[in-house]
Amino acid sequence: MEEKELRVIISGGGTGGHIFPAVSIANAIKALRPDAKILFVGAQGRMEMQRVPAAGYDIEGLPIRGFLRPLWKLGNIGVAIDYLRSKRMAKKLLRQFDPQVAVGVGGYASSAALGAANALGIPTLLQEQNSYAGLANKTLAKKAAKICVAYEGMERFFPAEKLMLTGNPVRQQLLDTTLTREEAVKTFGLDPNKKTILLVGGSLGARTINESVLQHLDLVRQHTDVQFVWQTGKYYSAEIAERLKDGKPDNLVVTDFISDMGAAYKAADLVISRAGAGSISEFCLLGVPVILVPSPNVAEDHQTKNALALVNKDAALYVKDREADKLLLPMAIDTVQDAAKLKSLSENILKMALPDSADIIAKEVIKLAEQAH
């Protein structure tokens, strides 16, 4: 018997942390079922509207936005109207595309698209990246058929019988890098015999991490046996260039954006990063020793919860955002020179890795679609 054409909706976005897993799941579905038709549903004006077509997939945008805080703000009337409009548009889209299954990865658009799928009786699968569930997924969970999670203990938020511990899909090119550590270090024009600290604040940068470096330039200069690769983020690069005009330490490489993160992670003996769920999944799979600086500007302070899930297993170090300007650089320099500490961090974080996530989730998506007939 010939297989029915597989049609899948994938919805969510807003940040790279939602978009990378969504694209990874789509790629894994395509690898298993090359005939699959996949349509993304995103939020107009958000990052996914560029990133998804760049990855080779069609996307439709909804006029959905996040509610303003506090909730009684007048502007929320417009937000509510846009939400209802988005839900209507999503229903129409779903009727036209006629998917057998809808996948939600979190972010504004998924609440409208998966809400519409639930109303039309289309089975849904949720992928929750964080150790603390987001509001959209908590609401959608009641009607979801399957919920794929990256952390243990998620039955606090979701019905236990729907849960599946799959991990977060990560950017495949990070795992595919063939460079040796020595070659990777040389791509940054640095010395392979010295310890290397990589500082990343996400694609837009992180002010706290950047300020921690700027306030300790003398410490960087002093420690000539350690070298630094610093991704400032495009948003902050002009301001930082201005502040470094009076002299940049020779052991500090400054860049607004690193396109080959596979090489950057390979070069690093220690990474300093925000505690986004996607980044953490990458560190686990690569066994990267890391100091996490959770962003305080995220819903329900979920980055701190992500970080503590590792810290409690001695798989990472962490510094509170408000203490980072004083503590971060001194802690990083001490840690990178402590070979035993680096080894134990690497071994412990590797134990938390959940490989093949995209593949496992893709198989669940296909199974749900087949049961829908």
Side-chain angles (χ1 to χ4, degrees):
M1 191 182 88
E2 199 185 328
E3 282 181 326
K4 185 171 188 254
E5 182 182 68
L6 177 62
R7 303 176 77 81
V8 182
I9 287 276
I10 300 180
S11 183
T15 65
H18 291 312
I19 298 162
F20 296 137
V23 169
S24 298
I25 293 166
N27 292 342
I29 293 169
K30 276 285 202 190
L32 292 165
R33 287 284 298 272
D35 66 307
K37 294 276 184 290
I38 298 174
L39 177 66
F40 279 75
V41 179
Q44 287 168 8
R46 302 296 297 225
M47 200 193 268
E48 58 266 26
M49 301 308 292
Q50 277 79 46
R51 293 282 176 89
V52 169
Y57 294 99
D58 294 335
I59 186 165
E60 295 283 348
L62 303 176
I64 195 162
R65 310 177 267 148
F67 280 98
L68 308 167
R69 312 271 167 182
L71 285 175
W72 58 82
K73 275 196 174 175
L74 212 56
N76 279 329
I77 296 168
V79 176
I81 291 167
D82 280 345
Y83 175 75
L84 295 172
R85 223 172 95 219
S86 296
K87 211 163 167 187
R88 268 203 313 277
M89 284 170 70
K91 261 190 181 168
K92 192 177 167 195
L93 255 178
L94 266 65
R95 283 200 181 101
Q96 286 168 349
F97 187 72
D98 192 26
Q100 294 106 333
V101 60
V103 179
V105 296
Y108 305 139
S110 68
S111 58
L114 269 81
N118 287 332
L120 296 171
I122 297 161
T124 59
L125 177 144
L126 302 180
Q127 199 261 326
E128 174 56 65
Q129 291 106 31
N130 291 294
S131 62
Y132 193 90
L135 188 60
N137 277 351
K138 278 194 282 198
T139 311
L140 294 166
K142 297 177 188 71
K143 293 194 171 172
K146 260 286 179 267
I147 304 164
C148 297
V149 295
Y151 291 89
E152 287 162 3
M154 295 302 282
E155 52 281 349
R156 290 178 302 156
F157 308 106
F158 300 127
E161 70 280 1
K162 295 181 179 183
L163 288 181
M164 189 170 178
L165 185 65
T166 59
N168 284 324
V170 304
R171 294 174 281 182
Q172 194 54 43
Q173 71 266 34
L174 297 181
L175 307 177
D176 292 344
T177 185
T178 54
L179 294 175
T180 63
R181 180 189 172 272
E182 188 172 334
E183 288 165 344
V185 171
K186 283 181 176 171
T187 63
F188 293 97
L190 292 171
D191 180 351
N193 298 312
K194 291 182 180 179
K195 292 290 185 194
T196 305
I197 296 175
L198 169 69
L199 302 107
V200 282
S203 51
L204 296 173
R207 179 175 288 283
T208 304
I209 293 176
N210 291 342
E211 281 301 327
S212 305
V213 183
L214 289 166
Q215 289 184 31
H216 287 95
L217 288 173
D218 287 345
L219 196 61
V220 170
R221 240 180 231 107
Q222 266 168 309
H223 286 273
T224 51
D225 51 341
V226 178
Q227 52 201 1
F228 300 79
V229 176
W230 177 20
Q231 179 185 282
T232 62
K234 290 194 158 73
Y235 188 72
Y236 299 106
S237 61
E239 177 197 340
I240 286 165
E242 184 62 32
R243 286 170 72 175
L244 290 174
K245 266 212 316 229
D246 298 333
K248 178 184 75 63
D250 294 337
N251 55 337
L252 178 65
V253 170
V254 184
T255 176
D256 65 341
F257 182 70
I258 297 169
S259 55
D260 187 354
M261 283 308 293
Y265 287 152
K266 194 75 168 191
D269 297 285
L270 178 68
V271 175
I272 292 170
S273 168
R274 287 300 200 193
S279 301
I280 285 179
S281 296
E282 291 168 0
F283 303 144
C284 291
L285 283 163
L286 297 166
V288 175
V290 62
I291 300 176
L292 298 167
V293 187
S295 170
N297 315 313
V298 293
E300 284 109 0
D301 195 24
H302 68 248
Q303 285 205 3
T304 297
K305 295 169 178 105
N306 291 346
L308 290 175
L310 271 70
V311 172
N312 293 338
K313 295 192 175 178
D314 294 323
L317 301 173
Y318 113 108
V319 175
K320 290 178 181 163
D321 188 83
R322 64 174 179 273
E323 295 172 354
D325 56 347
K326 291 185 190 66
L327 303 180
L328 184 58
L329 258 277
M331 181 198 272
I333 289 165
D334 284 350
T335 306
V336 85
Q337 293 171 314
D338 183 341
K341 185 70 182 164
L342 291 179
K343 186 169 186 284
S344 82
L345 284 171
S346 178
E347 285 169 357
N348 291 341
I349 202 168
L350 266 173
K351 286 178 198 157
M352 297 186 73
L354 292 162
D356 307 320
S357 302
D359 215 31
I360 296 164
I361 296 167
K363 284 175 180 156
E364 279 306 303
V365 172
I366 293 167
K367 205 191 292 179
L368 282 177
E370 285 166 351
Q371 287 165 2
H373 298 334

